[in-house]
Amino acid sequence: MTTTRADETHPPTSAEQTHPPRPVARTTALLLRRSAGRTAAPFFLLLVVLNTVLRSMAWKHEPMWAVYQYNFTVMLLGPLLAGVAGWEGYRLSRAETFLAAHHRPFTVLASAWAALFAWCAAAFLTGLAVVIGIVVWAGTPLTFGVPELLTPFPALALLGLACAAGLAAGWLGRGKLAAPMAAVSVFLAFLLLYAGDLSEFVMVGGATSSLVGLRPKADTQLAQLAFYLAATLLTLCATAWSAAWHYPRRLGTAVACALLSVTTALNLTSVDPLYLEARPGDVRCYGSRPEICLGHGYTQYEPRLRAALAPMVRAVSSLPLPTPKAFRQDALSTSTDLGQLSTDTVTGDPDLLLDMFLGTYYGSTCDIEPGSAMDRNFTNARFWLAGAAGATPFEDPALDPRLRTGTPSERAAIARTALQGLKACRAH
């Protein structure tokens, strides 16, 4: 009985001869089904969902804050992906001789990276969709410009670099311990970079307060994106060369990636350490004296906020002293004409609003030392204004007793002196 080779029975068609499948694409399609990333996908998804729903959702009124805060998930997802990639790299390293003989190390490594990254990116994007869904469910309008739309891409590219690093560790480590070591090493690298002077290499998100009026800098995002992509490709090339030194046609690509990595790294180390810039048109303004400007997702709080501010404005105007002309959620500083609103004060909490209101008179540069004139002025002004605004008065030894027992004109005179003293500190 004779046997017939499959390729003799089913010769390739003319289309297959003219357009043969690309090795990387063909191998990636195969590895998508057999990749360790497929096994780890439920854990990727569980991590991003738990990291989203079990944390505070103060960002639900701000699409930009929601996305930027979500990006911090890569600090946990990246090490997990590196560990899974380390295991995949170890599995592939056992076939190194075969791959080298068939000139396929780079093809297989690139395909393995693509398959792993695809599964992890799918989990990341699913979590991002959940975040956007929560924002929409809260009734917040989605307002995105080009810089805002770029925000998820550096985070995804950083995941790609973590994946390449894990594959390299598994391939070169040639042991089962390569996987956990890759995960721990990437986590420590992320942590040290994030907390150190080189945080621009991993800072792709994580804001803990409102981003109304702010957005990431597009040039920093693009520099990060270029660095991650170049470093990823360079890592894959170097790992493949460790198995077979016969890739002269990719030498130019590797050199270009190395030059791009160095150039973008130097650019990142020289950028302003502030990753955010002003975002114009991010608030809506209502009324006058005072004008109240709120982020698009907070406009429903305007009536409550105005009602809470009105007693303070009336009380200070009766002294008579000037009051802030506007309160803005996108303000980056305060002055006697401008009050800066935060997410906590927007809801109209009397105590927090009172402290913010007083802050417009003395600013953040004045130290309130116990027993100082500033301490007495602050204590007297706050006690008097709390009575007018319905906030909680603070008992303090520095309080002038006449604010409790004096006539209305005496109390007003003490409050006027106190507020003028606070304002004089700002002037210096």
Side-chain angles (χ1 to χ4, degrees):
M1 181 177 182
T2 60
T3 59
T4 306
R5 290 177 54 185
D7 58 350
E8 294 174 345
T9 306
H10 303 286
T13 65
S14 58
E16 290 174 335
Q17 292 174 339
T18 306
H19 302 288
R22 294 182 179 181
V24 173
R26 184 173 52 196
T27 310
T28 301
L30 175 65
L31 290 180
L32 274 172
R33 298 190 299 270
R34 300 181 178 180
S35 170
R38 181 181 179 181
T39 304
F43 298 97
F44 293 149
L45 187 59
L46 180 64
L47 177 62
V48 297
V49 171
L50 290 180
N51 192 52
T52 299
V53 302
L54 295 183
R55 300 180 66 182
S56 170
M57 296 185 187
W59 40 257
K60 64 185 179 181
H61 298 298
E62 297 182 41
M64 182 68 258
W65 184 15
V67 175
Y68 199 65
Q69 172 67 20
Y70 174 75
N71 281 359
F72 194 73
T73 304
V74 302
M75 291 296 167
L76 300 175
L77 194 57
L80 177 58
L81 174 59
V84 175
W87 177 256
E88 189 82 325
Y90 160 69
R91 291 201 307 173
L92 292 174
S93 70
R94 291 183 294 175
E96 177 184 357
T97 303
F98 172 80
L99 296 174
H102 290 76
H103 299 187
R104 294 299 189 198
F106 181 84
T107 297
V108 173
L109 279 171
S111 299
W113 175 88
L116 287 165
F117 177 72
W119 284 110
C120 187
F124 179 87
L125 293 174
T126 300
L128 182 60
V130 170
V131 167
I132 297 298
I134 293 172
V135 171
V136 173
W137 183 263
T140 306
L142 298 180
T143 53
F144 288 114
V146 173
E148 292 80 9
L149 292 174
L150 281 175
T151 302
F153 289 99
L156 281 168
L158 181 57
L159 286 176
L161 180 55
C163 182
L167 269 175
W171 182 281
L172 301 175
R174 304 179 188 282
K176 295 181 179 180
L177 290 179
M181 290 300 295
V184 171
S185 297
V186 169
F187 178 76
L188 291 177
F190 279 7
L191 188 62
L192 291 174
L193 289 171
Y194 187 83
D197 296 331
L198 298 176
S199 58
E200 57 270 10
F201 287 95
V202 292
M203 181 70 77
V204 293
T208 56
S209 60
S210 172
L211 293 185
V212 169
L214 296 171
R215 66 186 177 194
K217 294 180 179 178
D219 54 347
T220 301
Q221 290 180 314
L222 291 173
Q224 288 177 324
L225 191 58
F227 174 77
Y228 299 147
L229 293 177
T232 296
L233 186 53
L234 184 61
T235 300
L236 293 176
C237 286
T239 306
W241 286 346
S242 71
W245 293 87
H246 42 66
Y247 288 89
R249 56 183 179 154
R250 292 197 179 95
L251 182 60
T253 301
V255 171
C257 289
L259 291 175
L260 183 58
S261 297
V262 172
T263 302
T264 52
L266 291 175
N267 176 266
L268 286 172
T269 55
S270 63
V271 298
D272 190 312
L274 297 176
Y275 306 103
L276 303 172
E277 62 183 2
R279 180 188 183 192
D282 205 20
V283 294
R284 293 180 181 176
C285 297
Y286 302 86
S288 61
R289 307 192 67 84
E291 180 184 54
I292 296 178
C293 300
L294 300 174
H296 298 290
Y298 296 92
T299 54
Q300 71 269 26
Y301 292 107
E302 189 271 337
R304 185 193 311 176
L305 180 59
R306 186 174 295 278
L309 286 170
M312 303 181 200
V313 173
R314 287 196 300 266
V316 175
S317 298
S318 69
L319 291 179
L321 287 176
T323 59
K325 295 179 181 179
F327 294 91
R328 298 183 64 96
Q329 198 175 0
D330 62 343
L332 300 180
S333 62
T334 59
S335 69
T336 52
D337 285 334
L338 176 65
Q340 180 177 349
L341 295 170
S342 65
T343 52
D344 295 323
T345 55
V346 161
T347 57
D349 183 283
D351 293 317
L352 295 176
L353 275 175
L354 176 57
D355 291 331
M356 181 276 297
F357 191 95
L358 285 176
T360 63
Y361 288 89
Y362 65 88
S364 60
T365 60
C366 300
D367 293 328
I368 305 178
E369 297 291 340
S372 65
M374 270 293 294
D375 183 34
R376 292 191 297 273
N377 288 331
F378 176 81
T379 301
N380 291 336
R382 195 189 190 288
F383 186 90
W384 176 82
L385 196 57
T392 305
F394 289 166
E395 298 294 335
D396 193 286
L399 181 68
D400 191 320
R402 291 175 295 173
L403 285 172
R404 292 193 183 93
T405 60
T407 63
S409 60
E410 287 177 328
R411 294 198 295 270
I414 295 170
R416 184 184 307 111
T417 300
L419 286 169
Q420 288 173 335
L422 294 178
K423 189 175 179 181
C425 178
R426 175 186 281 277
H428 295 293

